[in-house]
Amino acid sequence: MISFFGKLWRNNRGNTLAIAAACLPLFVGAAGLASDTIQWTMWKRQLQRAADSAAIAGVYNRENAAGATTTTSSAVSHDLSLNLHTFYSLKTGFPQVSFPANSGALTNQVSVSVAIQQPLSFSSFFLSTAPTILAASTAASIPSGGEACINARETSASQTGINITGSAGIYMPDCVMYSNSPSTNSAAAGGSSAVTAEAVAGVGGIQQSSNWNVQSYRPYSPPIDDPFANVTPAPSNMNCTSTALTDRTTTIASGVNCFSSLSVGSNRTLNLDTLFGSGATIYVNGGDATIQGNLTCSSCTIVLTNQSTATSATIGQFKSNAGANVNMTSPTTGTYKGIAIYQDRRAVDGGSTNKINGNNNSIIQGALYFPSQQLDYNGDGTTTAVCTMFVARRINFSGNNTTTNKFKKLSDCSAYGFPGGTSVTRMVRLVA
């Protein structure tokens, strides 16, 4: 044996074997490090994806809770239980959840850090402690551009917030149609309707349709605020009478601004400016406002409410038929600034529908506010764009012709009392 190794040592061909033997640890080490690097990278990618998803879920939770963080950590943990795919438990003390302060356009921020500590197959031979792999992410609510000229307040997943049927034509290229419904089809357009808008957005899904002519679809967006959430009728402002306000009313007792109902008969006319002067607020105490003829009112608001403060107080509806001509503009100052028709939030949903029908001579410039009930809008269209904002629990547009209803963007409507920045839409995005 000694003789054999001696011959091998003196043989030049044995150099190759010696070099290979000397390099073998380098080959093994390189392969081991490559394997560990791939494993580390995969875990890091899985952790980062989980952190991103959890941060986004946290922001959605805060958006739904008006910025509160009470249940945000639970929402983050739940999301991690669904989207963490490392097959290893997180390191003790993780996830770490924090809430950076609002900064400029960034609101309801949520930061999430996650980490695992696992030995790597090769490196573990040389490390006494397994390495920690960390991933962090921050998400926030940011402006998405555009103003919501249509704001559906529905929150039930079983209801579509915006529904456009028949031959309805809607043209609002600088506006967003926004639905708070978490339904799989939060906003829908069917029939031979034609809708032009900057975007259609919703808390739920949005099904693509040839009826939509929009720059973007924005499904699964955070809920949008009620722009008039702070407007509530005050009984102290109501000087009520038990009589109805009709097209036959010729005089009003001094100070009276509240009536049991409001009605205008077919081919009849009621000019509220003549009775009250421009800029009046007319309260309807528990009854309906029914318009079949001509109604004129400038810089005014019709308020459907009840002088009773009971939560179960009866709230009336607004109904105008196809032969009605309603010409209203909203006030630019006061409690009801920017609102043409206001329905009390105590109105009960469930089969109750407000209807605004009318020919192309009907023009309502201001907000139509029905936050607790459905609004059916069936106008014949206008030749020029008007300043109308729709805020209702559900909003249905229908029509039997293709005349286009044209609407301006809200920032161009300050002359009708709309405050700046009304209903600016938002989206959730990663910011760090």
Side-chain angles (χ1 to χ4, degrees), residues 108-126:
N108 291 335
Q109 295 189 77
V110 177
S111 293
V112 177
S113 296
V114 292
I116 61 171
Q117 188 173 27
Q118 291 295 329
L120 296 163
S121 56
F122 179 76
S123 303
S124 61
F125 289 111
F126 309 99

Side-chain angles (χ1 to χ4, degrees), residues 92-343:
T92 301
F94 289 88
Q96 296 177 352
V97 183
S98 61
F99 310 106
N102 293 345
S103 176
L106 306 181
T107 62
N108 291 335
Q109 295 189 77
V110 177
S111 293
V112 177
S113 296
V114 292
I116 61 171
Q117 188 173 27
Q118 291 295 329
L120 296 163
S121 56
F122 179 76
S123 303
S124 61
F125 289 111
F126 309 99
L127 299 175
S128 57
T129 303
T132 297
I133 305 172
L134 179 70
S137 183
T138 299
S141 173
I142 65 172
S144 61
E147 302 163 312
C149 292
I150 297 178
N151 183 338
R153 308 301 304 156
E154 181 61 67
T155 57
S156 170
S158 63
Q159 298 279 358
T160 297
I162 300 172
N163 195 28
I164 303 169
T165 60
S167 300
I170 302 172
Y171 185 79
M172 46 176 64
D174 300 311
C175 292
V176 177
M177 306 182 96
Y178 212 100
S179 170
N180 274 2
S181 167
S183 167
T184 55
N185 200 12
S186 189
S192 56
S193 62
V195 183
T196 298
E198 179 178 334
V200 55
V203 172
I206 305 283
Q207 296 180 14
Q208 189 172 5
S209 168
S210 59
N211 302 88
W212 298 115
N213 179 19
V214 296
Q215 296 179 28
S216 63
Y217 290 84
R218 299 176 189 169
Y220 310 112
S221 297
I224 192 172
D225 293 334
D226 180 344
F228 303 108
N230 295 325
V231 179
T232 301
S236 60
N237 293 332
M238 306 175 201
N239 185 6
C240 294
T241 176
S242 59
T243 61
L245 177 62
T246 74
D247 54 75
R248 299 185 185 278
T249 301
T250 57
T251 59
I252 302 294
S254 177
V256 172
N257 62 358
C258 175
F259 304 86
S260 60
S261 64
L262 187 157
S263 65
V264 183
S266 179
N267 297 318
R268 301 286 297 180
T269 297
L270 176 61
N271 190 325
L272 297 177
D273 293 342
T274 300
L275 291 175
F276 299 95
S278 178
T281 300
I282 295 92
Y283 297 93
V284 181
N285 188 25
D288 293 336
T290 305
I291 315 300
Q292 297 176 312
N294 306 307
L295 175 68
T296 300
C297 181
S298 61
S299 297
C300 72
T301 305
I302 294 175
V303 181
L304 299 162
T305 185
N306 198 306
Q307 195 174 31
S308 167
T309 58
T311 56
S312 59
T314 300
I315 306 298
Q317 297 174 299
F318 191 93
K319 301 176 181 179
S320 67
N321 69 9
N325 289 321
V326 181
N327 288 277
M328 296 182 64
T329 60
S330 56
T332 58
T333 60
T335 301
Y336 300 99
K337 176 181 178 181
I339 306 174
I341 303 173
Y342 178 103
Q343 185 187 54

Side-chain angles (χ1 to χ4, degrees), residues 52-77:
D52 291 346
S53 178
I56 289 172
V59 176
Y60 274 112
N61 176 269
R62 292 193 65 184
E63 288 283 303
N64 284 319
T69 61
T70 307
T71 60
T72 305
S73 293
S74 296
V76 167
S77 295

